[in-house]
Amino acid sequence: MFEKEEKNLIGWKKAYDELLYPAEDIDAAIQAGFQKGRQQKKKVMRKRWLYSSAAAAVFFITFFVSIRYSNVLANYIAVIPGMEKVVEKIRYDKGLLAAVENDYVQEVGVSQERNGLKVNIDHVIADEYGMVLFYSIESNENQTNYQIHDLELKSAKGKDPVMATSGYGVDFPSDTPRNKVDTTAELFFSEPLETTDFILDLEVGTGTQKEQFEIPFSLNKSLEQKKTYEVNKTVSIEQQNITIKQVEIYPLRVAVTLEMDESNSKKILSFDDLRLVDEHGEAWTKISNGVTANYINEHEQILYLQSNYFKEPEELYIVLNRLQAIDREDDTVVVDTSTEEIVKQPKGDLLSDLEVIGNDVWFKLKTEKEFNYSLFSSAKDANGNDYYHGNMVEGTVENGKQRMGVHLESAKVANPLTLELSFYPEWVRGGAKVKVK
C-alpha cells in the first residue's frame, strides 16, 4: 500500500535536495515578486502556495521516510534471535541499526552476581574510539528503583582506555516494581583502544542496597577503522563564517570538526540543523540521545551525527541550514539572587519573573513553542567562584512562557551571579552545502 506514492515522494525529495537555494529563500523571493507585481496577484499567490506546500511536503516526506526506514529496518532486525532488546534501545539511530544489520554487533553474554543483584553484559557495538554496551540488571526481589553509579571501563591487560566522554543509563523510579531492567552505556575515548580485554567497573543501587561489580569481558571481533575526509572549506550564514575542517566516519558515529571565525559578530551556540547527505538525498542527522558534541575550545567543536559507515555513497555532503546564535555581548545573563532581579540579559528581554527557591534560580522564558534546551553552562559569582550544578527545564508553555532554571551548589553566593548561555532561542538561517567526497 502506498508503494507508488512513496516512490514518487522519494523522487521529489531527491530533486528538492539538489536545489541550489533553501525553501526560506524561495519563499522570500516569491514574496518579493508578489510585492512588486500586484497586478498578477492570483498567479503569484498560487505559485507561492505551491512552493510553500512543496517545502512543507518535503519536511513531511523526510520525516516520514526516515522514520519509516528506521522502523522497518528495526522491525526486520528484531526478528533476528537475541536482537530484540538491542533494537529497542537504538531504534531511532540509523547508524547503530546498520551496524546490527551488517553483523557488527558482538554477543558478550557474561554476568556477575552480588547478594541478590546480578549484572549481565549482553551485547556490545565497538570501534577503535568508542563502545556501546547493552547490559541488564536483575534482582531477586522486585524493585521500584535501579541506579548506576561510577561506571568505568578498565583494561584487563595494560593501559586503561583514555576516556573522552561517557553516558550511561539511569533508571528513574517506577510505580511498578520489577525484577529486571535493560539499559545501555556509551563510552568514547580520546585515543584508540589498545586491547580487546576489559573490566566493567560499576556500582548498582536499589532502594535498599548498593553493590560493586567488576565484570571482565572481551571483544571477539576485529574493530573497523575510521574513514577520514579532510574538507577545510568555509561557508557563511548571515555573515557568520564556519569552517568544516574534517569529517571522520566511525561505525558508531560521524565526527564533524567545525571552527568558527573569531571575527564573527555572533557567538554560535548550537548547530540545530546539520546533517550528512548522500547523492540520493538520504540524510544522517545529529545524534538525539547520548553524547552529541565535544567542545575543543571557544571557537572549535566536534559534532556527532548518526553513522553512515556501512554505506558506500558515491557522493557525500555536509548540509547546514540553521544555527542558534547570539551577539557576542549578549552571551551572559546577570542576576542578583538577593533581590531577585535580572540585571542583564540578551536583547529582546525574553527572560522574566526571576524567582529564587533554595539553591534553584528560576526564570520564565518568552517562547511560542517548547524550547527543550538547557540555557546555561556555568554560574559564577562576583568572586569568580563557579556554583553551577545543573539546568532545569519545564516542558509546558503557559501563556507564551516556559519555566527554566539553574541549580546551584549553594544558595550563598556573592552577587551578582553571572550565567553563561549555552543555548538560547535566537537563530541565524541560510543554506550551505559542502562536498565531503
Side-chain angles (χ1 to χ4, degrees):
M1 187 176 181
F2 301 123
E3 287 86 354
K4 181 178 178 181
E5 289 83 354
E6 184 176 337
K7 183 177 180 181
N8 288 336
L9 290 177
I10 294 172
W12 295 337
K13 178 181 180 298
K14 179 179 183 296
Y16 177 85
D17 285 333
E18 292 172 353
L19 289 176
L20 198 57
Y21 301 101
E24 293 90 341
D25 291 347
I26 294 172
D27 273 350
I30 295 169
Q31 182 63 19
F34 172 70
Q35 298 294 342
K36 188 175 180 180
R38 289 182 179 273
Q39 71 276 13
Q40 298 178 356
K41 182 176 181 180
K42 285 187 178 180
K43 185 177 180 181
V44 173
M45 284 296 287
R46 183 173 181 273
K47 285 176 68 178
R48 188 176 192 276
W49 179 88
L50 285 172
Y51 275 105
S52 298
S53 299
V58 167
F59 173 81
F60 170 77
I61 294 162
T62 304
F63 178 80
F64 170 78
V65 171
S66 298
I67 294 300
R68 187 177 186 278
Y69 169 84
S70 295
N71 278 326
V72 169
L73 180 58
N75 292 335
Y76 166 75
I77 295 172
V79 177
I80 302 172
M83 288 296 102
E84 300 91 342
K85 295 175 184 177
V86 172
V87 167
E88 189 59 35
K89 296 297 181 184
I90 62 173
R91 177 175 289 272
Y92 298 108
D93 190 312
K94 290 169 60 175
L96 295 181
L97 284 173
V100 177
E101 184 189 22
N102 285 272
D103 195 31
Y104 193 65
V105 63
Q106 303 186 35
E107 184 175 355
V108 180
V110 299
S111 62
Q112 191 174 92
E113 187 170 358
R114 295 272 191 272
N115 298 319
L117 275 181
K118 185 179 181 181
V119 177
N120 312 287
I121 304 178
D122 303 310
H123 295 87
V124 63
I125 304 175
D127 59 35
E128 57 179 334
Y129 279 91
M131 185 181 299
V132 179
L133 285 169
F134 301 85
Y135 66 103
S136 58
I137 304 166
E138 296 182 67
S139 174
N140 285 348
E141 298 179 358
N142 286 343
Q143 305 285 346
T144 59
N145 188 17
Y146 292 86
Q147 295 287 335
I148 311 300
H149 304 280
D150 303 323
L151 186 148
E152 187 177 358
L153 187 70
K154 299 179 179 179
S155 173
K157 301 176 182 177
K159 181 182 177 183
D160 286 341
V162 181
M163 196 68 63
T165 56
S166 65
Y168 45 89
V170 175
D171 187 65
F172 291 99
S174 171
D175 293 333
T176 305
R178 63 263 199 240
N179 68 350
K180 185 178 181 180
V181 292
D182 296 290
T183 187
T184 60
E186 293 188 358
L187 311 170
F188 293 98
F189 321 114
S190 58
E191 298 177 3
L193 292 173
E194 297 181 0
T195 181
T196 57
D197 300 306
F198 303 96
I199 297 172
L200 182 65
D201 190 343
L202 74 161
E203 182 183 86
V204 177
T206 66
T208 57
Q209 70 181 116
K210 287 184 180 180
E211 300 293 341
Q212 189 70 34
F213 294 85
E214 292 184 348
I215 309 172
F217 71 96
S218 299
L219 303 180
N220 50 45
K221 293 183 179 180
S222 59
L223 302 180
E224 296 286 351
Q225 305 297 301
K226 67 179 178 180
K227 305 171 186 176
T228 302
Y229 299 93
E230 300 295 340
V231 183
N232 293 316
K233 293 181 181 177
T234 300
V235 297
S236 181
I237 296 181
E238 289 191 21
Q239 291 79 52
Q240 309 307 307
N241 295 324
I242 304 111
T243 299
I244 294 93
K245 296 180 67 176
Q246 186 184 70
V247 175
E248 295 176 300
I249 301 176
Y250 302 87
L252 292 180
R253 60 185 182 177
V254 172
V256 182
T257 303
L258 305 165
E259 186 174 29
M260 280 59 74
D261 194 324
E262 294 185 20
S263 64
N264 285 345
S265 62
K266 294 181 178 290
K267 180 178 180 180
I268 296 172
L269 302 175
S270 173
F271 291 83
D272 285 3
D273 184 11
L274 184 145
R275 58 197 184 275
L276 198 63
V277 180
D278 70 10
E279 71 273 17
H280 301 299
E282 183 174 355
W284 290 265
T285 57
K286 290 174 66 176
I287 293 173
S288 57
N289 293 309
V291 180
T292 59
N294 182 22
Y295 296 90
I296 300 171
N297 55 53
E298 183 182 355
H299 303 288
E300 193 171 0
Q301 61 180 271
I302 301 173
L303 292 184
Y304 298 112
L305 310 179
Q306 297 178 13
S307 174
N308 74 327
Y309 188 91
F310 295 99
K311 290 268 189 174
E312 286 295 341
E314 293 183 6
E315 299 175 10
L316 204 55
Y317 301 88
I318 289 291
V319 176
L320 176 61
N321 288 323
R322 190 173 73 148
L323 320 172
Q324 282 184 38
I326 54 175
D327 291 341
R328 288 194 176 277
E329 62 269 21
D330 285 343
D331 66 348
T332 58
V333 173
V334 181
V335 302
D336 189 317
T337 60
S338 61
T339 61
E340 296 189 339
E341 176 189 2
I342 300 175
V343 179
K344 173 186 176 295
Q345 66 169 304
K347 290 182 288 291
D349 295 337
L350 299 183
L351 295 172
S352 64
D353 303 297
L354 177 64
E355 184 180 17
V356 180
I357 303 175
N359 289 19
D360 300 335
V361 180
W362 287 99
F363 303 86
K364 285 187 179 178
L365 175 71
K366 184 178 179 181
T367 179
E368 295 180 0
K369 297 185 292 185
E370 290 182 8
F371 186 73
N372 295 318
Y373 295 85
S374 301
L375 287 182
F376 306 109
S377 59
S378 69
K380 294 185 179 181
D381 72 357
N383 298 324
N385 299 311
D386 196 339
Y387 285 87
Y388 176 82
H389 201 63
N391 281 276
M392 302 168 292
V393 178
E394 291 187 0
T396 305
V397 177
E398 295 183 358
N399 300 319
K401 292 184 178 181
Q402 184 177 358
R403 203 160 179 249
M404 298 263 181
V406 61
H407 182 61
L408 307 177
E409 290 182 349
S410 171
K412 297 179 180 179
V413 300
N415 283 294
L417 186 70
T418 300
L419 308 171
E420 184 175 3
L421 289 167
S422 55
F423 297 95
Y424 200 70
E426 287 191 7
W427 290 270
V428 294
R429 295 175 172 86
K433 190 173 183 178
V434 173
K435 190 169 185 178
V436 175
K437 65 171 286 193

